[in-house]
Amino acid sequence: MTYIGALSGGYSGGGSSASGINQATYTLGSGLSGLASGVDTDSIVNAMVQAAQVPLVQLLQQRQILQWQEMRYQQVNASLTQLQNTVQSMQLQSTFMAHSVTSSNTSVVTGSATTLAANGTYSVTVNRLAQGATVVSTSPVTANLSTETVGDVNGGNGITLNINGQTLQFSASDTLQSVLSSITSNTATGVSAFADPNTGSVVLQTSSTGGAAKIQVDSQTYAFLSAAFNLGQPQSLTTKDLSAGLAQNTTIQINGQTITLQAGWTAADIAAAVNQYSSTTGVSAQVNGDGTLTLNPYETDSTTGTTYDLLSLISVDDPSGALGLPSYSATDSQRVAQNAEYTINGYTTTSPTNQATYNGLTLNLYSTGSANVTVGTDVDSIVNAITNFVQQYNQTLQLMQGLYNEQRNYDYQPLTAQQASQMTQDQIEKWNEQAQSGMLANDPLLGSIMDTLENDMQLQLSGQTQSTVNGQTVTLNTLASIGITPIDPLTGVSSGATAPGVTTTGWNTYGLLQIDTDQLRAAIQADPQAVMRLFTNNPQISSGSSMGTGVAVQLYNDLSNSIQQLTDEAGSNPNILSEIQTQTSNGTTISGAGLLPYTLIDPNADFSTLFGSDSLDISFLGQQISGMDSEAEDMQQQISDLQQRYQNEFSQMEQAIAQLSTQSSYLSSLFGSSSSSS
């Protein structure tokens, strides 16, 4: 695109008359304006061009106003989208089914609940806590682990260790301390290893809890760890005499693996069942001649022939006592991996961790003992959700009302670059505040959307059942019935109520909402299900229900329609809210809806840069602006052509006058010489 300001020419030398006398050829802007005629032709052309640019300036100002209208629509669109995101959660039953959980003994158990948990009091007894497997040296390690090397233990050679299926390689020069550190840093082993400086013992612990936690190694690893850290293998466990067979069906767990046993099974049958899971448990079963069964802490891979040994104790859970296994000693019981066991309302169950789940209730187990855990409605959470919704609604409607009631100031048109050059930045911003006012004043689309939102807030849910609140029978079928009512523009917010998000007063509060929190809280406490239905009931989902549409469901649908209407009118801009200026350059707050981006009006601007075309913007205003862009480009080209014509005409005039002047001088010289000779 051509810059009009760049179209003024320079002074080109040269040219000749018919008589062969050199002369100057005039070009506009050369600084020799009117050299022949004595007329300031530059000023004349500039004045004529500026006069021709007046319609273009007016068109650009109209375009800026239309663009501001588009931005205000987009601002409302973005605010409605934020409101719809809030309303989306208000359609969900889970928002109104939040639970609070209290414990009579928090040192034993605490809890939290999902929406699936039933309200009530649960009697909880923690029988035992979940724990991981722990292995400790059978005697203190006397070697200096920081200087003793792998080679010192392994005949001068390095070694490859296999722990819980993970391979770790060490050179002969690696210290024993580095072996422990490497086991810990390789999190895939699920084992931490360290030396206790107080006792001299080396300790290996699993990072996970539960009966399935174990420390399993191959034979080479076992031999090395035994020699280096005095780690021994746990003892085998022998059952009672099972010659008579099991009396009843039962289940046992070995290292977290559940094994089902049937009535009548003998030691041989049980051994076969146990050995079927040896690769998982790391335990093999051996039948003895006396009818007993021994569980050994090792198993051999039938494919490779490799033997894997347990360093950790065999974890066996035999709740019925069918196998008659011996009890662990007090010390061993603190080292064997085991599930947590707890009883809730008479039902005993287990968990691999100390965070147990039971029918939507999460129990955090801290110690053995008993406590009552009470699950109730989380009134605070529901009140906060509803308050947040009302605040977002008020902020959105407040923005729309401000734009709708704002007066249009026709005395302030978008600034031209020439005007702005004579103003300070603060004056420019204040001017634009006035110029942008009333872009959507009394706008019918805006008014229609506000009417729809206000009507939704007065919706009455048909078919709602009655509730008893504070001893009175009421029907919670409107927002007003739970304490959410419109603000009275004359008297303002009612005594005892709050108006979240409201910063205006008087008639600008029309349709905005206030909350009587005590009334809202009482309604939720009395009948949370009714409050939930008031917001979330959807006849299209609840087939066969005679109830109407809930407030949040209706509002969400209407917001979708409103957002689409605004998008059709002006498109959408997800970044519009961040583009709006809320403070002036001197730090003062800009009132109203904020200051929109603006471009100073310059008819000489490069329109190819100024007018960015968006092929995806098919909105009504977007197409209008696009049409103005094309019209402005055509006008700028016409003005450029007109300026060029003026330049050519004045150049020709100057050349003609210069030629006449030259010829006159030539004739005068001829007449002068003729007179002299006579």
Side-chain angles (χ1 to χ4, degrees), residues 93-112:
Q93 293 185 356
S94 58
T95 301
F96 301 89
M97 297 175 66
H99 293 292
S100 61
V101 180
T102 58
S103 171
S104 63
N105 190 342
T106 55
S107 64
V108 172
V109 59
T110 62
S112 59

Side-chain angles (χ1 to χ4, degrees), residues 356-380:
T357 58
Y358 177 84
N359 193 29
L361 180 63
T362 298
L363 299 173
N364 302 307
L365 312 179
Y366 297 115
S367 65
T368 57
S370 298
N372 288 328
V373 175
T374 302
V375 179
T377 300
D378 189 350
V379 176
D380 289 340

Side-chain angles (χ1 to χ4, degrees), residues 222-495:
Y222 170 69
F224 176 82
L225 295 179
S226 272
F229 306 119
N230 301 336
L231 297 178
Q233 194 171 37
Q235 293 182 345
S236 301
L237 299 177
T238 302
T239 69
K240 66 181 182 180
D241 184 358
L242 301 172
S243 300
L246 294 177
Q248 59 185 16
N249 294 342
T250 189
T251 58
I252 62 172
Q253 278 195 347
I254 299 178
N255 285 348
Q257 175 64 55
T258 300
I259 303 174
T260 301
L261 307 179
Q262 297 182 11
W265 276 12
T266 63
D269 299 319
I270 298 172
V274 170
N275 288 331
Q276 182 180 353
Y277 297 102
S278 288
S279 60
T280 301
T281 64
V283 174
S284 59
Q286 170 189 325
V287 179
N288 302 316
D290 57 0
T292 61
L293 179 74
T294 298
L295 302 179
N296 296 310
Y298 52 80
E299 64 96 11
T300 302
D301 189 314
S302 59
T303 302
T304 63
T306 303
T307 297
Y308 293 95
D309 298 282
L310 285 178
L311 288 179
S312 54
L313 296 169
I314 302 174
S315 175
V316 180
D317 196 349
D318 180 17
S320 67
L323 301 185
L325 291 168
S327 299
Y328 280 115
S329 67
T331 300
D332 287 342
S333 65
Q334 297 301 313
R335 297 175 180 173
V336 65
Q338 63 184 19
N339 292 334
E341 181 183 277
Y342 62 99
T343 301
I344 182 165
N345 287 353
Y347 173 70
T348 300
T349 185
T350 61
S351 168
T353 70
N354 289 315
Q355 188 175 72
T357 58
Y358 177 84
N359 193 29
L361 180 63
T362 298
L363 299 173
N364 302 307
L365 312 179
Y366 297 115
S367 65
T368 57
S370 298
N372 288 328
V373 175
T374 302
V375 179
T377 300
D378 189 350
V379 176
D380 289 340
S381 176
I382 299 173
V383 168
N384 289 339
I386 294 175
T387 301
N388 181 56
F389 155 68
V390 172
Q391 176 174 316
Q392 189 68 52
Y393 171 84
N394 281 343
Q395 289 173 338
T396 301
L397 188 61
Q398 197 169 237
L399 168 68
M400 297 171 69
Q401 284 184 342
L403 294 173
Y404 186 85
N405 296 325
E406 194 175 43
Q407 294 298 312
R408 180 79 174 92
N409 197 335
Y410 293 97
D411 293 334
Y412 290 80
Q413 293 295 309
L415 279 174
T416 66
Q418 184 177 8
Q419 291 172 323
S421 66
Q422 303 172 28
M423 303 167 68
T424 65
Q425 181 61 33
D426 184 57
Q427 290 172 330
I428 291 173
E429 290 170 345
K430 289 181 178 178
W431 181 285
N432 275 291
E433 279 191 76
Q434 296 296 324
Q436 292 177 8
S437 66
M439 288 294 105
L440 299 182
N442 301 311
D443 182 77
L445 175 56
L446 201 60
S448 174
I449 293 174
M450 288 192 294
D451 287 342
T452 299
L453 299 187
E454 291 167 7
N455 289 336
D456 286 344
M457 295 301 99
Q458 306 304 315
L459 181 146
Q460 180 172 321
L461 177 63
S462 60
Q464 178 75 295
T465 58
Q466 291 186 324
S467 308
T468 302
V469 182
N470 292 333
Q472 295 183 344
T473 301
V474 296
T475 304
L476 304 179
N477 58 355
T478 63
L479 291 181
S481 68
I482 62 172
I484 303 173
T485 56
I487 299 172
D488 189 326
L490 295 177
T491 60
V493 178
S494 301
S495 175

